[in-house]
Amino acid sequence: QVQMVESGGGLVQAGGSLTLSCAARTSSFTINVMGWYRQAPGKQRELVATITRGGNTNYVDSVKGRFTISRDNAKNMGYLQMNSLKPEDTAVYSCNTRNSGVEYWGQGTQVIVSS
């Protein structure tokens, strides 16, 4: 079993920065790929970024050059550094991992970017 817990969301002006954190609480699983997703009001959830245990990363085009995903394997922590935020980045951000075909999600953290 894995419990994903996000934190760090909030209200920020356009052009500002936020760092989201994700704690993967487990005593038995090795956390392999961690992902950050977001869902804006009235829109489908979209994948923002992923990172493997070895540090390989992927980003959706809309955040490339602005967001950085990272992790601390020893602490089972994931991070999403978000810079140059835009109003269109407003969404609920959730972290995710998968183990033996089962997906685990956090409750999400709200990010609001004002113009």
Side-chain angles (χ1 to χ4, degrees):
Q1 190 77 334
V2 181
Q3 184 183 18
M4 310 293 281
V5 181
E6 303 95 340
S7 60
L11 173 64
V12 63
Q13 288 189 331
S17 299
L18 279 176
T19 299
L20 305 183
S21 299
C22 174
R25 297 174 179 172
T26 178
S27 59
S28 56
F29 290 169
T30 297
I31 304 299
N32 292 312
V33 178
M34 295 183 75
W36 283 97
Y37 290 73
R38 66 185 179 186
Q39 187 166 21
K43 294 188 177 181
Q44 288 189 329
R45 184 169 57 199
E46 70 167 345
L47 176 62
V48 176
T50 61
I51 184 168
T52 67
R53 190 167 183 83
N56 292 319
T57 60
N58 277 294
Y59 299 89
V60 68
D61 286 347
S62 60
V63 307
K64 285 181 180 177
R66 300 188 299 122
F67 290 12
T68 302
I69 189 171
S70 62
R71 63 188 290 171
D72 182 332
N73 291 333
K75 296 181 180 179
N76 274 346
M77 291 292 298
Y79 306 96
L80 186 68
Q81 172 70 42
M82 306 185 293
N83 298 325
S84 302
L85 282 161
K86 303 175 181 180
E88 51 264 42
D89 295 318
T90 293
V92 175
Y93 286 71
S94 302
C95 61
N96 162 282
T97 192
R98 189 176 300 170
N99 189 290
S100 299
V102 179
E103 291 198 82
Y104 298 91
W105 294 90
Q107 79 288 349
T109 186
Q110 177 77 56
V111 172
I112 299 173
V113 184
S114 62
S115 57

